[in-house]
Amino acid sequence: MVAKTFGSAVSGVDAKLITIEVNVGQGTSFFMVGLPDSAVKESQQRVESSLKYFGYRMPRQKVVINLAPADIRKEGSSYDLPLAMGILQASEQVEFPDLEDYLIMGELSLDGRLRTIKGVLPIAIEARKRGFKGFILPKENAKEAAIVNKLDIIGVETLQEAIHFLEGKEEIAPLVTDTRNIFYNSLEEYAFDFADVQGQENIKRAMEIAAAGGHNVIMIGPPGAGKTMLAKRLPSILPPLSLQEALETTKIHSVAGKLGAEASLVAQRPFRSPHHTISDVALVGGGGNPQPGEISLSHNGVLFLDELPEFKRTVLEVMRQPLEERRVTISRAKISVDFPANFMLVASMNPCPCGYYNHPDKECVCGPGVVQKYLNRVSGPLLDRIDLHVEVTPVNFEEMTSDGKSESSKSIRQRVSLARERQLNRFTDSPEVYCNAMMPSHTVKEVCKINQAGKTLLKTAMERLGLSARAYDRILKVSRTIADLAGTDEIRVEHLAEAIQYRSLDRDGWAG
């Protein structure tokens, strides 16, 4: 007899339907075909042990299992549960009248308990798209799958529970959660607030501009000046996630297995801060079975690289293309996977190895040429892609002990959201562009028109600072954002002047 069950394979951030066909006939062998990897092949032992634990048997006949389509590689241990169901049906030990109405996934332990699996959200989306009645999966993953509506989410703890449900002997109520209500109630919950930061008004201003236009930022200053503190608070002034952005972000975290048992839609913009010892693959993603890296996990959020010059040169260079294209493509011999990577890059660095170059009170002890050599660890092409270069100076004692209240993230976020609304209206005809930082070059000429006085100022700055064509574009984009925050359609000279001052690392002899 041939039995048919359905599972799914995750490729990138999307899922593909896998049909699992089980045929039990004459003979005594076990075959699994359809490009299974080692983990899938090993499922025979887990399935056999689980079946025996609940009083069922592994057929001592010829068992042929086909995973279709046969040209897609099947990886991981999450096919255990649909394989067990198919074997039971094909060997006529049980009768499942509605087996083909459900998509089934789950890893079995030797005693028949179900372990959590990765990529549940994209699988649930695919199940609904394919018109399945429901999705049977480990109970710990059920909350994550329940993000998808119009699909019965059946969470089970053991193989026996799943068997009884499909036989009709046991009723399991589908898990229903008001995901959207939970999501909207969590939008305003932030762990950090700009109200905690005393002083540093010029840096807060730069952060506000960066958030309003989606610009990349680098902060240069001595240790203890507040660079990390400011970076951690940047997500709190970014506009709240839309439902579509939240779904995209949650899918990536689901594929990477970063959502816990209490998983729901990601309501806050991600903030990722990898250590400087990170490898190229861990940053951009990859591996035999391509997984998202840190730049994809920070999609729709912030990627913070602390102590930028300490990162390996190769790690920083592989980030250049994703910064421009807002996605990363991982190519293998048989597969090519796209992961979204639309993030804001925030980097921080000391001005020199000892950290005290240009410090108002402490003396730098670095030798001649050491400062420039340290800065040269960050390549020019990468700095070109960073719109705002901000010098951070230490907060003095008076500012630190001041009783005056700093402006809260909420009030800054309101101004940022208004500026973003202006940009959304401006780019109505280009749905892939929704902030100034994403403008392509041909749009910059139309949107960032400047008067004669502005052209003269920009020409002088270009000549004195030796700026590249990309830096020229960046200045125009930042000045457009400053004008948006000011609520004006025209880019004025003062907007340009402020944008030019945020190119400090382009100045000749900055470290001389």
Side-chain angles (χ1 to χ4, degrees):
M1 180 182 174
V2 176
K4 195 184 283 186
T5 63
F6 295 96
S8 185
V10 176
S11 175
V13 291
D14 296 310
K16 294 174 181 174
L17 184 69
I18 301 296
T19 304
I20 300 161
E21 299 167 325
V22 183
N23 182 24
V24 177
Q26 290 184 338
T28 55
S29 47
F30 184 96
F31 295 101
M32 191 181 292
V33 296
L35 279 184
D37 74 346
S38 298
V40 181
K41 287 175 183 172
E42 288 165 358
S43 64
Q44 179 188 353
Q45 313 304 326
R46 293 190 294 272
V47 169
E48 184 169 355
S49 175
S50 299
L51 291 174
K52 283 182 178 176
Y53 191 85
F54 292 113
Y56 301 98
R57 59 180 171 80
M58 191 73 167
R60 293 294 168 232
Q61 296 159 275
K62 184 180 179 182
V63 179
V64 179
I65 296 170
N66 179 39
L67 307 170
D71 60 339
I72 296 174
R73 188 155 180 79
K74 322 304 181 302
E75 296 173 322
S77 53
S78 51
Y79 296 98
D80 294 359
L81 187 58
L83 286 170
M85 295 303 182
I87 289 167
L88 287 171
Q89 176 94 320
S91 60
E92 300 181 346
Q93 295 180 64
V94 289
E95 180 63 36
F96 298 134
D98 302 324
L99 184 61
E100 294 184 23
D101 292 343
Y102 291 90
L103 193 144
I104 307 168
M105 293 296 277
E107 178 189 340
L108 289 168
S109 57
L110 297 183
D111 63 356
R113 290 181 182 276
L114 283 162
R115 300 182 190 276
T116 55
I117 58 173
K118 288 182 183 180
V120 163
L121 181 56
I123 294 171
I125 291 168
E126 179 68 9
R128 183 179 67 180
K129 193 169 88 177
R130 294 280 185 162
F132 284 97
K133 181 183 177 184
F135 180 16
I136 299 171
L137 74 167
K139 197 166 188 174
E140 286 184 43
N141 290 115
K143 198 166 181 185
E144 181 185 332
I147 290 170
V148 179
N149 54 15
K150 298 177 185 173
L151 182 73
D152 289 353
I153 304 302
I154 310 297
V156 292
E157 292 182 349
T158 64
L159 172 64
Q160 184 76 80
E161 222 178 302
I163 293 167
H164 284 170
F165 171 76
L166 284 169
E167 281 185 302
K169 291 180 180 177
E170 185 179 333
E171 276 193 28
I172 300 174
L175 179 66
V176 179
T177 56
D178 192 349
T179 310
R180 279 139 191 82
N181 190 35
I182 296 166
F183 169 69
Y184 287 119
N185 287 339
S186 312
L187 277 179
E188 300 291 322
E189 293 174 8
Y190 294 99
F192 303 102
D193 197 290
F194 267 91
D196 307 329
V197 183
Q198 294 287 5
Q200 303 291 26
E201 297 307 319
N202 59 326
I203 320 299
K204 288 181 191 171
R205 168 68 177 168
M207 286 295 193
E208 184 179 335
I209 294 166
H215 302 291
N216 303 321
V217 192
I218 184 166
M219 294 179 280
I220 313 103
K227 302 186 293 293
T228 305
M229 186 182 191
L230 286 154
K232 281 183 178 177
R233 281 153 181 75
L234 182 58
S236 70
I237 62 169
L238 288 168
L241 282 170
S242 67
L243 206 54
Q244 181 59 37
E245 285 177 326
L247 193 61
E248 279 177 13
T249 309
T250 311
K251 271 171 78 175
I252 297 166
H253 286 248
S254 171
V255 170
K258 301 288 183 188
L259 296 175
E262 294 302 307
S264 185
L265 274 174
V266 173
Q268 272 78 45
R269 292 189 179 271
F271 179 85
R272 304 291 299 182
S273 179
H275 193 258
H276 59 75
T277 54
I278 193 170
S279 68
D280 310 13
V281 171
L283 186 72
V284 298
N289 174 26
Q291 291 287 303
E294 288 292 335
I295 62 172
S296 294
L297 290 169
S298 53
H299 178 62
N300 290 324
V302 175
L303 177 68
F304 177 48
L305 302 184
D306 202 2
E307 305 301 341
L308 189 68
E310 303 300 333
F311 283 78
K312 284 185 290 186
R313 184 84 174 216
T314 53
V315 171
L316 297 180
E317 296 311 298
V318 293
M319 209 167 50
R320 279 159 48 178
Q321 189 182 359
L323 275 170
E324 288 291 314
E325 297 187 359
R326 310 274 170 178
R327 63 185 172 84
V328 60
T329 303
I330 297 160
S331 298
R332 296 288 177 267
K334 293 183 180 177
I335 192 171
S336 181
V337 173
D338 270 5
F339 287 115
N342 183 13
F343 60 93
M344 270 182 70
L345 174 65
V346 179
S348 75
M349 60 183 281
N350 294 330
C352 65
C354 81
Y356 296 109
Y357 179 79
N358 270 353
H359 194 283
D361 304 317
K362 296 186 181 180
E363 195 173 330
C364 174
V365 295
C366 299
V370 172
V371 178
Q372 191 60 55
K373 189 179 176 184
Y374 186 73
L375 292 174
N376 286 344
R377 289 192 195 178
V378 183
S379 70
L382 182 63
L383 281 178
D384 248 5
R385 287 168 168 82
I386 298 177
D387 308 353
L388 304 170
H389 306 165
V390 188
E391 291 180 61
V392 184
T393 51
V395 181
N396 61 41
F397 183 77
E398 285 71 25
E399 284 180 321
M400 236 187 306
T401 54
S402 166
D403 292 332
K405 283 228 169 184
S406 295
E407 191 175 16
S408 71
S409 289
K410 189 176 181 180
S411 59
I412 301 172
R413 189 165 64 249
Q414 286 169 348
R415 293 197 297 271
V416 167
S417 296
L418 284 172
R420 283 282 181 107
E421 276 176 34
R422 291 177 68 89
Q423 292 163 51
L424 282 171
N425 294 333
R426 182 181 300 130
F427 303 124
T428 315
D429 299 332
S430 307
E432 72 284 354
V433 178
Y434 50 83
C435 63
N436 289 332
M438 298 173 77
M439 267 192 282
S441 296
H442 62 86
T443 313
V444 173
K445 290 180 182 176
E446 298 167 23
V447 173
C448 304
K449 289 178 180 171
I450 50 176
N451 58 25
Q452 194 54 49
K455 285 178 183 173
T456 307
L457 173 67
L458 200 46
K459 185 187 176 192
T460 309
M462 292 282 292
E463 289 169 355
R464 284 193 185 168
L465 303 180
L467 299 177
S468 68
R470 188 184 278 115
Y472 167 78
D473 268 8
R474 302 274 169 189
I475 288 171
L476 285 178
K477 288 177 185 179
V478 171
S479 58
R480 178 64 266 166
T481 301
I482 295 168
D484 287 337
L485 279 167
T488 66
D489 293 327
E490 179 194 356
I491 297 175
R492 296 177 185 153
V493 174
E494 59 266 29
H495 303 150
L496 267 173
E498 188 176 356
I500 291 164
Q501 78 166 13
Y502 293 126
R503 300 299 303 183
S504 59
L505 286 179
D506 293 327
R507 292 179 206 152
D508 288 334
W510 184 87

